[in-house]
Amino acid sequence: MREIRWLFPALLVLALLPAGAAAQARGTISGRVTDAASGQALPGATVTIQGTTQGAVTAQDGRYTIRNVPTGSRTVLASTLGYATLTETVNVTAGSATTVDFALQASAIQIGGLIVTATGQEQRQREIGASVGSISTADVPLATVSSPAQILEGRVPGVEVLPSSGTTGAAARIRIRGSSSISLSNEPLLVVDGVPVNNNTDAFSYGIGGQSLSRLNDINPNDIEKIDVLKGPSASSLYGTAAANGVIVITTKKGHTGATQWHAWSEQGQIKDVTDYPNNYRYVGTILTGANAGKTTTNCNILARASGACRPDSLVSYNPLRQNTPFRTGYKQTYGLSASGGTERTTYFLSGAWSGTQGIYSNNNLNDLNLRANLGTTLTQDLTAQISTGYVSGDYQLPYNDNAVEGFIGGGLLGSPTSKNTTGGYYGYPMEYRKSFELRQSPNRFLSSLNATYTPMPWLSIVGTAGLDVTNNEDTYTILPGVFPSDVDPDYAEGQRQVDAVRERTYNATLAANTNYGIASDLTGATSIGGQYRRESRAHSFAYGQGLLPGTKSLNAASHLFQIGETNRDTKLAGAFVQQQLTWRDLLYVTGAIRGDDNSNFGQDFGLVWYPSVSASWVVDEEPFWPKNDIVSTLRVRGAWGVSGLQPGFRAATTYFNPVSAVVNSAEVPAVTIGGAGNTDLKPERSAETELGFDAGLLSNRLGLEFTYYRKISKDELVQRVLAPSLGLSSTQWFNLGEVHNSGVEGTLNIHAVRAPMISWDVTLNGQTNHNKLVTLGEGVAPIIFGLGGATQRQQEGYPLGSYFQQPIESYSDANGNGIIEPDEVQVGDTAVYLGQPFPTRELSFNTDLTLFGWLRVSALLDHKSGMKLYNATEDFRCGALLNCFAIQDPSAPLADQARAVADYWYSTVAGYIEDASFTKLREVSVTLSAPQRWAKLARVNNLSLTLSGRNLATWTDYTGLDPEVNFAGTANFSTAEFLTQPPVRQYVARIDVGF
C-alpha cells in the first residue's frame, strides 16, 4: 500500500499550518427556527454557515447558536426535512452577536437538506447529482419499529428490506437497487457518525435452521437522528472498495446549547402468532392387495386408492401448532432516558435504554442495554470536536426452526395426526423437548468515533475522523443431560455444550482537507483531498463436548467427543481521494472525484484500483429565464455516473493450507493439506452506475415529485472455476469473470393534502422497479445450481440472479372422471425452465400522516411488493415426502393442488410449489395523543404523549404458504424458500413519551 502513504503526511502538513497568520476576529450568530404557519419551534433543524463546516442543531425550543464565525458577509442556511430551505445573508463583526431567525415553510419537495459526505463535510442536497434518500426519526412513530431496518421499510425508494422470519431478533436482508454480486455479500456498507462499522447479517455461530442475528440491530432507533441512503456507485464512489451495494449513513443525536432537556420513554407491548397453520391429514383405510390385505392403513392417499391398493374409511386430522401449541403471548418492555443540552463551548447528548422482549416461544428472548454519550466541544476558535460513543450489552436467545428437525414449526407441520397420543402430533418427538435447546448470544459492543474540524482560515478546513468498533460475542449452545430420553435421541440424552468466542474489530481513520474559493464573479470552486485507512479483524475460537455431568452447563463437565477450533481473519485497506466541485451562480453544480484503493485481499500482482465519479445538478427554477408560477414551483434536474467496488473474500487471492493430523509409523503427527488455490491476479468487483433524474415542486410546493432512472453494470464478478484434480490443488479457484446488470426507476410523490390551523394531512407514495440480469458467468463456466433440495435455483446467463428453474407442469386433467389426478394425467416437461426470481421487481408503498387539533396524530404504512416467486417448500415436503397434506390425502382437494402434489411425488418436480409471492401488507398503524400544553404544565413537564401502535396487521396475497416474505435461509445471499419458517408475528405496543 506504499503508493498512497504519501497522502497522510501531506495532509498533516496542511493540518499543522500556523493559524496565527490567518487568524481573524470572530463573532456569534444565534436565533430561532420556527414553522412559518404555526409559529411553533422546529427542534432538530440544522443551521449552517454556507461554504464552511460551521453549524448548529436547534434545541427543543428551536434556538441555536453558532460561535467563532469569521467576520464579514456570511450566508446562513436553515434546513430540516419536510420544509423548504431558507438562507439569510448577514454581516458579522468582531465580538458581535448577530441574531438571525428563520420561519420555514412546509414543503413537499426537499432539495436543501444537508448530507454528510465521505469527505467529512456536510453538503447541500441541491448540490449532489445522485439521488439520496433521507429519513428523520422525528417523522417515524418509534413505537412501530424495533430496529433501523424497520425504519427503512417502505420509506426510501430503491431500498428493499426483506424480513426473513417472525422470530424475535431475526435479521433481515437489505438490497439497494438490486443484487449485484454473484458470490460476495450484497448488503450495503454501514456508516455511523462518519465511521464504517460492522454490518454482519449472519452474526450467530450456530446453525439453528436458517435464521441469524444482525449487527445493524445493535443500534438503538431512539438514538438515531437521521438516516441517509446513498443508493449506488454514483453516490458512494468516494467510499471505495466496500460501497458498490450502496451506503447507509446513520447520524446519531447530538446536544444543543441551552438548559438540559430530559426525555423519558417507556414501551409495553404484546407479540402474538396469528398464522392460520394447516392441519396434518391421514386417510385411514383398508389394504386391498398384497400380504397385508384386510389390515388397516393410515395412509390411504389418493394415489393408493386410485391404484386400487386401499379402500378409504375415514379422514383424520390434527393441528399440533394450535391444539398442542408451543406458542405463548410474547411481551415487550422498554425503558429509556436521555438528556441533551450544553453551553456555548460544549454540548452533550446522553441516553440509556433497557429493553426486554419475550418472543412467542419460551426459548426466544432478547434483553439488551444501550448506552450512548455524544459530546461536542469548541476547543479553540479554530478547532471543534465531536465525540460519539455507544455501548450495547445483550443476552439473546433464539429457537430452532426452518431447516431443522428440532424446530417447532417443522415438528408441528410434519407430524402425523395418528401420533397425537405418542408425540403430541409432532414429528420425531414431543414439543416439550424442543424447548430444552438453549442457544444464546451475549454481545458486548463498543462504537466510538472522534470527528475533529480545524478551520485555520475561512476557506480551509481540515477534517479528521477516527473510529473504533469492537464486538465481543460469546455464543453458547447447551442441551442439558436427562432432558431427552435415551430412546428418543441418545446424543441429546447425555447432554451437549459448545462455546464460541467471537472477537471482531473495525478500525478507521480518515483525514481530509477541504477548501472553498472564488474563481470568477459567478463561479466558485471547492476542492477536497483526503485519505482513509481501515482495518477489519475477526478471531473465532470454539470448544465442544458431549456427555455432561448432570447439574452443570460447564464444558469442564463434558466427558467425550471433544472438539476445538480457531479461525482468524485480518483485512486492511488504504485509500486516497480527490474531489473538485465547480459552482456557477449557486445554481449549477458540477462535481468530479476519483478514489484509489489498495487492499490486502487483492492479489499480490494487482495494484491500486481507481474509482472515478462525476455528477451535475441544476436548480432550474431559480434561473432568471424560468417563469415564476405556482404550477412548477421548484425544479431541479440532475445526473451522475460513478464506479465503486467490493473486495474479494478473505484468502481468495492467497494459496493457503489447512492443518490436519496424519499417521506416520503408527503415530499421529501434524500435517497440512491445500485449503485453497489463490489467484495472484485477483481484483475487486467493480460496479459502474449511471443515473438521471429530477425533483419538482408542484402547486406551490404542496406536491413534491422525485424521479430517478438508474443503470448499474457490475463487472469482474468473482466466480469459482473447477480445477483439474491432477493439479494437486483445491477443487476450485476464484477468477474475475462475471457481469451483472441492474436497471430501474424510482419515484416519490409527497403530497401536503391539507394544511390548515387545526388539521394537516400528508401522504407519501414511494415506487420502484428493478430489473436484474446475469449477463455472463465467464467462458466455459456452467450454470451454478443451488437452493433448497440442491437444484431449485440457478445462476444462469440471461436470467436474474437466484432464479428458480424446474421441469414445468405442462398440463393436467381428470381424464377418467374419478375426481383424482393420477400420475398419467399429469404432463411434465423434460427440461428445467425459468419460473421466476426470488426478489421483488416492483414495490409501491403508501405512507400517510394525519394530525388533528394539534394533539391527535394518526400514521399508517401500506406496502405492496410484486414480480417475485417463492418456493413453498413447506407444502412441497408435506405433500411429496411426508404425505400428510390435504391435497395428497383427500380427493376433495382442488385438482390443481392434487396435480402439483402428484407431480412432486411421482416426477420429482416442485414447479407447482414455486408460487407467485406478490402481496400487500399493512405494516404499521399508530395513533399518538399529545397532552395540551396546559395539561403538561400541570404535570410539571414540557410535553407528554401516548402512542398506540400495531405492526403486521394484515396481509393480502394469493400465495398459499405461511407468508410470502419468509426465508428458511435467513439472510443468505440468494437461497430463498419458505421451509418450516416462523411467519411474521403481530405486535401491539403502547408508548409514553415525557419531556421535561
Side-chain angles (χ1 to χ4, degrees):
M1 300 183 184
R2 65 178 66 91
E3 293 90 341
I4 59 174
R5 290 178 181 173
W6 57 267
L7 178 70
F8 289 96
L11 288 171
L12 186 61
V13 171
L14 285 173
L16 296 177
L17 283 174
Q24 62 184 84
R26 308 290 176 115
T28 299
I29 296 177
S30 61
R32 189 166 184 255
V33 181
T34 58
D35 182 296
S38 66
Q40 294 183 345
L42 292 178
T46 302
V47 184
T48 58
I49 308 300
Q50 192 169 328
T52 75
T53 59
Q54 292 181 289
V57 176
T58 58
Q60 286 296 118
D61 59 2
R63 297 192 179 279
Y64 72 93
T65 300
I66 306 174
R67 296 165 297 279
N68 298 316
V69 181
T71 57
S73 178
R74 300 294 167 198
T75 299
V76 189
L77 179 148
S79 68
T80 190
L81 288 176
Y83 290 82
T85 300
L86 192 61
T87 59
E88 294 285 349
T89 300
V90 297
N91 188 51
V92 179
T93 58
S96 68
T98 305
T99 300
V100 183
D101 294 330
F102 295 92
L104 302 186
Q105 297 280 352
S107 175
I109 187 69
Q110 181 74 22
I111 66 170
L114 298 177
I115 306 297
V116 179
T117 68
T119 66
Q121 285 188 308
E122 287 187 322
Q123 190 173 16
R124 289 180 298 168
Q125 198 164 352
R126 66 186 277 151
E127 303 176 28
I128 301 173
S131 173
V132 178
S134 296
I135 305 172
S136 170
T137 54
D139 300 326
V140 178
L142 292 177
T144 64
V145 301
S146 56
S147 69
Q150 291 180 348
I151 294 176
L152 293 169
E153 272 185 315
R155 292 186 170 93
V156 180
V159 178
E160 289 280 3
V161 178
L162 305 168
S164 55
S165 169
T167 300
T168 298
R173 292 183 285 187
I174 297 179
R175 297 291 180 266
I176 299 178
R177 292 182 174 174
S179 299
S180 299
S181 180
I182 300 169
S183 306
L184 302 177
S185 171
N186 284 286
E187 294 291 328
L189 175 68
L190 178 62
V191 176
V192 178
D193 291 329
V195 176
V197 299
N198 183 352
N199 189 31
N200 184 8
T201 58
D202 189 15
F204 200 41
S205 300
Y206 306 112
I208 57 174
Q211 305 307 314
S212 190
L213 297 166
S214 171
R215 293 278 71 95
L216 174 63
N217 292 346
D218 293 339
I219 302 171
N220 183 2
N222 292 278
D223 289 341
I224 297 174
E225 180 75 36
K226 187 178 69 162
I227 300 177
D228 294 322
V229 181
L230 312 182
K231 300 179 185 178
S234 60
S236 62
S237 61
L238 281 186
Y239 284 95
T241 311
N245 299 325
V247 184
I248 295 176
V249 181
I250 292 178
T251 302
T252 60
K253 295 178 179 178
K254 304 297 187 293
H256 58 81
T257 302
T260 301
Q261 300 286 328
W262 295 87
H263 175 213
W265 68 93
S266 175
E267 294 180 355
Q268 308 292 321
Q270 284 190 342
I271 304 171
K272 293 186 176 183
D273 177 88
V274 294
T275 301
D276 185 16
Y277 296 97
N279 292 353
N280 298 330
Y281 294 90
R282 286 287 182 173
Y283 228 114
V284 178
T286 302
I287 300 174
L288 300 178
T289 61
N292 293 319
K295 294 183 178 181
T296 298
T297 177
T298 59
N299 191 19
C300 189
N301 58 66
I302 61 173
L303 295 177
R305 71 178 69 181
S307 66
C310 66
R311 180 182 65 247
D313 294 328
S314 61
L315 179 70
V316 295
S317 67
Y318 188 68
N319 193 327
L321 292 176
R322 288 303 174 209
Q323 294 171 268
N324 183 18
T325 183
F327 304 120
R328 65 181 180 181
T329 298
Y331 191 74
K332 174 184 178 180
Q333 55 182 326
T334 300
Y335 306 93
L337 178 66
S338 69
S340 62
T343 66
E344 290 191 357
R345 292 187 63 88
T346 302
T347 61
Y348 55 86
F349 172 81
L350 308 172
S351 76
W354 177 84
S355 178
T357 304
Q358 297 176 348
I360 58 173
Y361 302 107
S362 61
N363 56 353
N364 182 199
N365 302 285
L366 306 179
N367 293 278
D368 58 55
L369 173 68
N370 273 275
L371 302 175
R372 176 158 291 277
N374 292 347
L375 177 69
T377 183
T378 301
L379 300 172
T380 70
Q381 68 175 10
D382 301 319
L383 182 62
T384 62
Q386 178 73 45
I387 301 174
S388 300
T389 58
Y391 173 75
V392 60
S393 177
D395 180 15
Y396 307 147
Q397 186 179 12
L398 297 183
Y400 274 113
N401 256 326
D402 307 283
N403 193 15
V405 69
E406 299 88 349
F408 293 98
I409 302 296
L413 293 180
L414 302 183
S416 170
T418 60
S419 67
K420 64 181 180 180
N421 294 326
T422 55
T423 66
Y426 282 80
Y427 178 80
Y429 44 81
M431 177 266 293
E432 287 74 15
Y433 295 151
R434 302 168 198 274
K435 297 180 180 180
S436 62
F437 293 99
E438 185 179 294
L439 299 111
R440 313 184 82 101
Q441 180 177 102
S442 300
N444 287 278
R445 186 179 187 184
F446 179 73
L447 287 166
S448 180
S449 66
L450 169 63
N451 295 270
T453 302
Y454 175 47
T455 312
M457 308 171 197
W459 52 269
L460 172 65
S461 64
I462 310 294
V463 181
T465 302
L468 175 65
D469 180 4
V470 177
T471 304
N472 293 325
N473 291 335
E474 183 180 83
D475 297 353
T476 59
Y477 161 81
T478 309
I479 177 69
L480 295 175
V483 175
F484 273 80
S486 58
D487 60 340
V488 173
D489 192 306
D491 290 334
Y492 287 152
E494 62 181 13
Q496 301 175 11
R497 172 76 167 175
Q498 181 170 328
V499 178
D500 288 63
V502 181
R503 300 166 297 281
E504 296 178 294
R505 306 285 189 271
T506 300
Y507 308 91
N508 185 85
T510 304
L511 187 62
N514 305 295
T515 65
N516 296 275
Y517 46 87
I519 299 175
S521 59
D522 291 329
L523 184 64
T524 61
T527 303
S528 298
I529 180 172
Q532 180 187 40
Y533 174 80
R534 185 166 72 245
R535 179 180 179 183
E536 299 173 349
S537 64
R538 187 177 192 270
H540 177 201
S541 57
F542 77 91
Y544 170 86
Q546 196 167 306
L548 298 182
L549 181 69
T552 180
K553 294 182 180 180
S554 172
L555 272 171
N556 288 331
S559 60
H560 61 281
L561 291 179
F562 298 106
Q563 298 178 36
I564 60 171
E566 181 179 11
T567 61
N568 294 281
R569 185 177 66 207
D570 196 6
T571 301
K572 300 174 184 178
L573 177 145
F577 56 83
V578 177
Q579 178 176 279
Q580 177 65 53
Q581 178 175 295
L582 298 176
T583 301
W584 182 60
R585 295 192 298 134
D586 201 26
L587 299 177
L588 177 62
Y589 313 88
V590 178
T591 305
I594 190 167
R595 172 168 172 144
D597 275 359
D598 196 4
N599 190 290
S600 60
N601 285 0
F602 297 167
Q604 65 183 25
D605 293 338
F606 182 78
L608 285 173
V609 59
W610 298 97
Y611 301 113
S613 65
V614 63
S615 71
S617 173
W618 184 22
V619 184
V620 182
D621 68 282
E622 295 181 14
E623 291 284 5
F625 63 78
W626 183 259
K628 304 303 178 183
N629 62 87
D630 293 336
I631 298 177
V632 181
S633 316
T634 302
L635 179 63
R636 177 174 76 117
V637 294
R638 48 183 165 79
W641 173 85
V643 180
S644 191
L646 292 175
Q647 66 189 31
F650 180 63
R651 296 197 302 189
T654 306
T655 299
Y656 64 94
F657 302 91
N658 287 330
V660 297
S661 61
V663 177
V664 178
N665 297 326
S666 301
E668 285 194 356
V669 297
V672 296
T673 60
I674 294 178
N679 181 350
T680 58
D681 294 321
L682 210 62
K683 53 189 175 182
E685 298 183 352
R686 287 168 58 90
S687 293
E689 182 183 73
T690 301
E691 70 168 68
L692 299 170
F694 67 86
D695 309 307
L698 310 174
L699 303 180
S700 299
N701 287 340
R702 294 177 69 91
L703 274 67
L705 177 62
E706 301 175 18
F707 177 85
T708 303
Y709 165 80
Y710 67 89
R711 179 173 174 80
K712 180 164 61 173
I713 299 175
S714 302
K715 296 184 177 182
D716 298 328
E717 296 275 315
L718 290 171
V719 177
Q720 285 185 312
R721 268 184 172 161
V722 177
L723 298 180
S726 59
L727 294 175
L729 300 173
S730 56
S731 59
T732 60
Q733 186 178 27
W734 290 104
F735 288 88
N736 294 100
L737 299 174
E739 181 174 334
V740 175
H741 291 183
N742 281 276
S743 62
V745 296
E746 302 161 357
T748 296
L749 178 63
N750 292 314
I751 306 172
H752 288 337
V754 178
R755 287 288 176 178
M758 301 299 290
I759 180 173
S760 68
W761 181 27
D762 297 332
V763 174
T764 299
L765 293 172
N766 288 318
Q768 64 192 56
T769 68
N770 177 263
H771 300 285
N772 177 270
K773 183 179 180 181
L774 172 58
V775 177
T776 180
L777 272 172
E779 184 178 354
V781 179
I784 301 170
I785 300 176
F786 64 100
L788 189 63
T792 53
Q793 293 179 259
R794 294 187 183 185
Q795 311 290 25
Q796 183 161 322
E797 293 178 357
Y799 296 94
L801 293 173
S803 292
Y804 293 114
F805 278 78
Q806 282 288 286
Q807 294 171 259
I809 299 174
E810 295 179 339
S811 65
Y812 64 88
S813 65
D814 180 17
N816 59 15
N818 66 351
I820 296 175
I821 298 295
E822 302 179 30
D824 60 358
E825 295 175 334
V826 179
Q827 300 299 316
V828 174
D830 296 328
T831 305
V833 299
Y834 170 71
L835 297 179
Q837 64 172 334
F839 300 121
T841 61
R842 300 177 296 276
E843 180 175 7
L844 180 66
S845 65
F846 172 86
N847 205 324
T848 184
D849 196 315
L850 174 67
T851 301
L852 297 171
F853 316 116
W855 56 267
L856 174 63
R857 179 185 176 187
V858 181
S859 300
L861 174 61
L862 194 68
D863 196 8
H864 172 79
K865 294 181 181 179
S866 60
M868 70 287 196
K869 298 289 185 72
L870 182 62
Y871 172 28
N872 185 357
T874 299
E875 196 67 1
D876 161 30
F877 202 65
R878 280 162 49 83
C879 294
L882 274 295
L883 302 176
N884 70 346
C885 77
F886 185 69
I888 202 70
Q889 290 290 336
D890 196 315
S892 67
L895 296 182
D897 291 350
Q898 292 186 42
R900 68 178 185 174
V902 170
D904 180 18
Y905 182 81
W906 200 263
Y907 299 106
S908 301
T909 178
V910 301
Y913 296 99
I914 297 175
E915 303 181 36
D916 179 12
S918 302
F919 67 86
T920 301
K921 278 182 181 282
L922 182 57
R923 291 206 184 275
E924 304 171 6
V925 172
S926 69
V927 178
T928 300
L929 304 171
S930 298
Q933 198 63 36
R934 62 181 183 277
W935 294 9
K937 288 183 178 179
L938 288 175
R940 297 185 179 182
V941 298
N942 295 331
N943 51 74
L944 175 65
S945 66
L946 168 67
T947 300
L948 306 175
S949 71
R951 186 171 185 85
N952 291 324
L953 298 178
T955 301
W956 297 271
T957 182
D958 291 331
Y959 177 71
T960 66
L962 301 181
D963 188 90
E965 278 195 297
V966 298
N967 182 29
F968 88 103
T971 57
N973 222 4
F974 295 104
S975 293
T976 305
E978 179 214 302
F979 187 51
L980 311 173
T981 304
Q982 171 61 50
V985 293
R986 187 164 296 166
Q987 181 174 289
Y988 301 99
V989 173
R991 175 181 171 118
I992 295 177
D993 288 271
V994 182
F996 54 96

